[in-house]
Amino acid sequence: MKPQAQLSFPLAVMAAALLAAFPAHADDEIDALVKPTSSVAVGAGYVSKDAPRFGQYSGLNQAGTYGLLNLDYRNLDQATGTWLRFRGNNLGLDSRDMRLQHERQGDWAYFFDYTEIPRFEPYTANTAVSGIGTPNLTIPAAGATLAPFDMKMKREALGFGFSKFLGNGFDVQVRLRNEEKNGERIFARGNFTPAFEFTPEPINSTTRQIDAILGYTDKSLQVQGSYYGTSYNNHNTALNIAGGNAGLQPFSPIGLPPDSQSHQLALTGGYNFTTTTRGTFKLAYTRAEQNDTFLSGVPVSPGISPTGNLGGRMDTTQMQVGVSSRPIPKLSLVGDLRYEDRHDKTPIRLYTTNGVSPTTTFSGENEPRSIRTTKGLLEASYRLPMSFRVTGGVDYVEKERNTSAVRVVSFRDKTEETSWRVGVQRAMMEAVTGSITYIHSDRNGSPFYTNVLNCGAVTCGTATAFNLIAPLHLSDRTRDKLRASFDWTPMEDMSVQYVTEQTRDDYANRTVEEFGLRDGRSRTHSLDVSYSFSDEWQGNAWVSNTETSANRADRIAATNTWASTVSNNGRSYGVGLRGKPFAKWDVGMDLSHSDITDEALQWALTGPAVTSLPSFYTRQTTLKLFTTYALQKNASLRFDFIHDRFATNDWSWATWTYFDGTTLRQSPRQYVNFMGVTYIYRFQ
């Protein structure tokens, strides 16, 4: 944000100044500013076969021919510095977007934009359920004929915004957005007794956003006052289900996500105390509400006390102050303090009496979730001799939560975490820079509360299971992290970057049996290399590897305990090449591969043996080739070829059948080719 006087230069004057400053290097760039070039690209593409994964978000999900159309229009009135731009991408596909922007630099601007984002469900449902996509479903009797059904969702967003410099350092910005979301997604009703039935959720909602900002800027002070508001309106209030298992028929209607809204007022800014010291601040208040009317005609437990809606309300107060300073040339200091109070003001009422008694683990009341968070940061960085720079810092996070008298899992109302870090960076020579950082964190908190535990020996064994395990986000934890990076430029045309990070977590257990999460590890390596073979040929390559794992122990009863190791390993690599083999030809290639594997190894500690779950992998390889041929100075032909291979051993749905007979399937091997040709015309 800058004062109006600094932004109101005509573009032609700015361009002339740049030409004078860089007469030998910037002719093409300045020509593009003074004489902007527009373009239109029209063509056709062909997808060789149905491609649920390949076209999940682009719309290229079915075999066939697609229209390709891109527009980029730019016009400049040099006398006034007024721009008119229009951009349209993927206009022939379901993933199209458009933007119209009109602005006078340093004075005013406005825009309209439109975006479509599809999502095609990669699993095909073979089902006899009818009414999918509507709030009224029918589940036929057993033995009905199944038919394939492809679920999808689509978002359509329309936006508008404008900005205006008001003079004397003031400016205003307003942005509006309306998004319509339609379709269906996987959902089910039921439980393990008697069963689950396939009941896809209908999607038909509207989300609106407004963002208004009033700003002020001078040499020392920059400040913004803003309002941000949202509203969510679900046009389907309930899912009505006819037929199905007699034991599940009481589960109709089923309430769908309710309407909600939020409002935020904020004041943010910064102040330059001196040329080397700057402060920042933020004050914000948000009120979020959910007071949509409850479903009518739904049987409730006798004696409950709720009124016609939840009356949900969350008030959030945020405050932040920070300062950065360089008191002497070799020393930099940073300090920051943040406070957030999320106060859940939802009324506490009795919603059910089913099973509520002095011997249960719940009370039938809703549980408010308030949390106060305080964060502090101090950091110092000092430049040492021999091109060394050492940085040290401390971070502190304190969270206080409310608690209810009756809980399902262990609970503590306060946690504190302190992290100490120290790092060293050095430019070892003109072309080599390296850094290494070590971070040590300790988290602990207030004593754990003792839960109400009367679920009976049949379910909980010794009736103490709910007090044996500390939840992941509340448990004591020690974390050690080591991060290192290396940048090398051995020659002007080559650069190499390497980054690695390793983390180890140790969790304190509440019992000698060490139930719950015990420890975790992660390791990441990445290497990027780019090389310019000549003025006509450039290449790059990258590889990364990520490994995470966690060990834990659980039990069903006092004589049936087991341990497990859960891991996720991801490997990926890629190469790219750009070149100009002939005067009129440009070519390019990108090859990428990723392989992600999840494993869950289990073994018995006491009691009968347990069987580990099978591993789960997902692999994808994509090859992209393109070439552009210049027909003339302002026209060219572009040819694209994409080969995509997807493979998975997804067993989660492959062995599952809903009670009504519905199955969800995807092809474990998906190979698809895309070929496209586009004519590109450029004009001024």
Side-chain angles (χ1 to χ4, degrees), residues 364-384:
E365 296 176 337
N366 60 303
E367 180 183 344
R369 298 295 175 91
S370 298
I371 181 171
R372 289 193 298 271
T373 304
T374 303
K375 295 183 178 180
L377 175 151
L378 290 173
E379 181 181 280
S381 180
Y382 189 78
R383 191 171 72 246
L384 298 171

Side-chain angles (χ1 to χ4, degrees), residues 47 49 55 74 76 81 87 92 110 117 152 158 187 233 243 344 432 446 455 479 490 513 546:
V47 178
K49 60 175 66 175
R74 306 181 185 188
L76 170 65
R87 185 198 71 239
Y110 66 88
I117 304 176
K152 63 180 183 296
L158 180 64
F187 186 67
N233 180 22
D344 191 343
V432 182
S446 58
C455 53
R479 168 172 289 179
E513 297 91 345
T546 301

Side-chain angles (χ1 to χ4, degrees), residues 548-613:
T548 61
S549 63
N551 298 303
R552 63 172 296 130
D554 299 276
R555 86 174 188 182
I556 295 178
T559 58
N560 189 0
T561 64
W562 74 95
S564 63
T565 296
V566 179
S567 64
N568 174 273
N569 298 318
R571 305 170 187 85
S572 59
Y573 62 81
V575 294
L577 183 66
R578 299 291 185 273
K580 193 175 184 65
F582 307 104
K584 292 187 176 184
W585 288 91
D586 291 289
V587 298
M589 180 274 293
D590 290 298
L591 173 66
S592 63
H593 173 80
S594 66
D595 185 344
I596 301 174
T597 301
D598 293 288
E599 292 183 320
L601 304 177
Q602 303 176 90
W603 62 95
L605 298 175
T606 63
V610 295
T611 301
S612 296
L613 296 172

Side-chain angles (χ1 to χ4, degrees), residues 355-586:
V356 176
S357 71
T359 60
T360 60
T361 58
F362 66 96
S363 63
E365 296 176 337
N366 60 303
E367 180 183 344
R369 298 295 175 91
S370 298
I371 181 171
R372 289 193 298 271
T373 304
T374 303
K375 295 183 178 180
L377 175 151
L378 290 173
E379 181 181 280
S381 180
Y382 189 78
R383 191 171 72 246
L384 298 171
M386 299 178 62
S387 300
F388 279 98
R389 175 176 288 276
V390 61
T391 301
V394 58
D395 300 83
Y396 175 78
V397 180
E398 177 187 283
K399 295 187 178 183
E400 295 184 79
R401 305 166 178 85
N402 71 301
T403 183
S404 298
V406 181
R407 298 163 300 276
V408 177
V409 297
S410 296
F411 194 86
R412 66 189 343 171
D413 53 20
K414 183 178 180 179
T415 57
E416 299 175 279
E417 184 167 8
T418 303
S419 301
W420 301 88
R421 50 193 164 86
V422 60
V424 178
Q425 182 181 20
R426 188 191 182 207
M428 289 169 275
M429 58 186 69
E430 183 178 352
V432 182
T433 301
S435 68
I436 184 168
T437 302
Y438 171 71
I439 305 172
H440 176 79
S441 304
D442 281 305
R443 184 176 68 193
N444 51 47
S446 58
F448 280 91
Y449 290 99
T450 301
N451 287 353
V452 174
L453 301 170
N454 294 295
C455 53
V458 174
T459 304
C460 297
T462 60
T464 59
F466 292 117
N467 282 323
L468 297 180
I469 297 177
L472 170 64
H473 66 295
L474 298 178
S475 61
D476 292 350
R477 184 190 67 191
T478 299
R479 168 172 289 179
D480 292 285
K481 179 182 292 186
L482 186 65
R483 181 190 303 131
S485 65
F486 177 81
D487 294 329
W488 180 34
T489 309
M491 59 187 71
E492 182 180 355
D493 297 326
M494 183 177 184
S495 64
V496 180
Q497 295 87 37
Y498 173 74
V499 178
T500 182
E501 183 173 287
Q502 300 190 45
T503 303
R504 177 183 173 88
D505 293 341
D506 287 312
Y507 293 86
N509 303 103
R510 299 186 60 189
T511 63
V512 296
E513 297 91 345
E514 295 186 337
F515 288 121
L517 196 59
R518 294 176 171 180
D519 59 68
R521 293 178 175 84
S522 68
R523 183 183 298 113
T524 301
H525 305 277
S526 65
L527 176 67
D528 293 86
V529 180
S530 61
Y531 182 69
S532 180
F533 301 94
S534 66
D535 291 340
E536 290 78 24
W537 290 92
Q538 299 84 38
N540 69 286
W542 55 270
V543 59
S544 68
N545 183 76
T546 301
E547 302 173 8
T548 61
S549 63
N551 298 303
R552 63 172 296 130
D554 299 276
R555 86 174 188 182
I556 295 178
T559 58
N560 189 0
T561 64
W562 74 95
S564 63
T565 296
V566 179
S567 64
N568 174 273
N569 298 318
R571 305 170 187 85
S572 59
Y573 62 81
V575 294
L577 183 66
R578 299 291 185 273
K580 193 175 184 65
F582 307 104
K584 292 187 176 184
W585 288 91
D586 291 289

Side-chain angles (χ1 to χ4, degrees), residues 126-283:
N126 290 293
T127 184
V129 175
S130 60
I132 296 177
T134 76
N136 301 298
L137 299 178
T138 299
I139 300 178
T145 301
L146 305 179
F149 187 92
D150 294 316
M151 292 174 285
K152 63 180 183 296
M153 288 191 293
K154 186 176 185 178
R155 297 186 181 191
E156 297 180 87
L158 180 64
F160 167 74
F162 71 88
S163 62
K164 171 67 178 174
F165 286 89
L166 304 176
N168 299 319
F170 287 93
D171 70 280
V172 62
Q173 303 175 54
V174 176
R175 293 186 290 270
L176 306 173
R177 182 179 174 87
N178 184 88
E179 180 180 281
E180 302 289 338
K181 188 175 180 180
N182 292 276
E184 54 276 332
R185 60 184 168 198
I186 297 172
F187 186 67
R189 73 169 180 177
N191 49 42
F192 287 104
T193 305
F196 287 93
E197 292 178 330
F198 184 61
T199 56
E201 177 188 351
I203 306 298
N204 185 8
S205 64
T206 300
T207 301
R208 295 187 175 94
Q209 301 174 2
I210 178 172
D211 194 2
I213 302 172
L214 177 64
Y216 172 78
T217 300
D218 64 22
K219 292 182 178 179
S220 299
L221 177 66
Q222 306 83 41
V223 63
Q224 289 185 337
S226 63
Y227 166 78
Y228 179 67
T230 67
S231 69
Y232 171 78
N233 180 22
N234 192 345
H235 304 296
N236 295 324
T237 59
L239 181 59
N240 303 288
I241 305 170
N245 185 280
L248 297 179
Q249 289 177 1
F251 293 98
S252 178
I254 298 174
L256 296 176
D259 298 349
S260 62
Q261 55 277 330
S262 68
H263 308 273
Q264 182 188 83
L265 293 173
L267 183 67
T268 60
Y271 186 79
N272 301 323
F273 296 98
T274 67
T275 57
T276 59
T277 301
R278 174 174 173 79
T280 61
F281 67 90
K282 178 177 181 179
L283 298 172

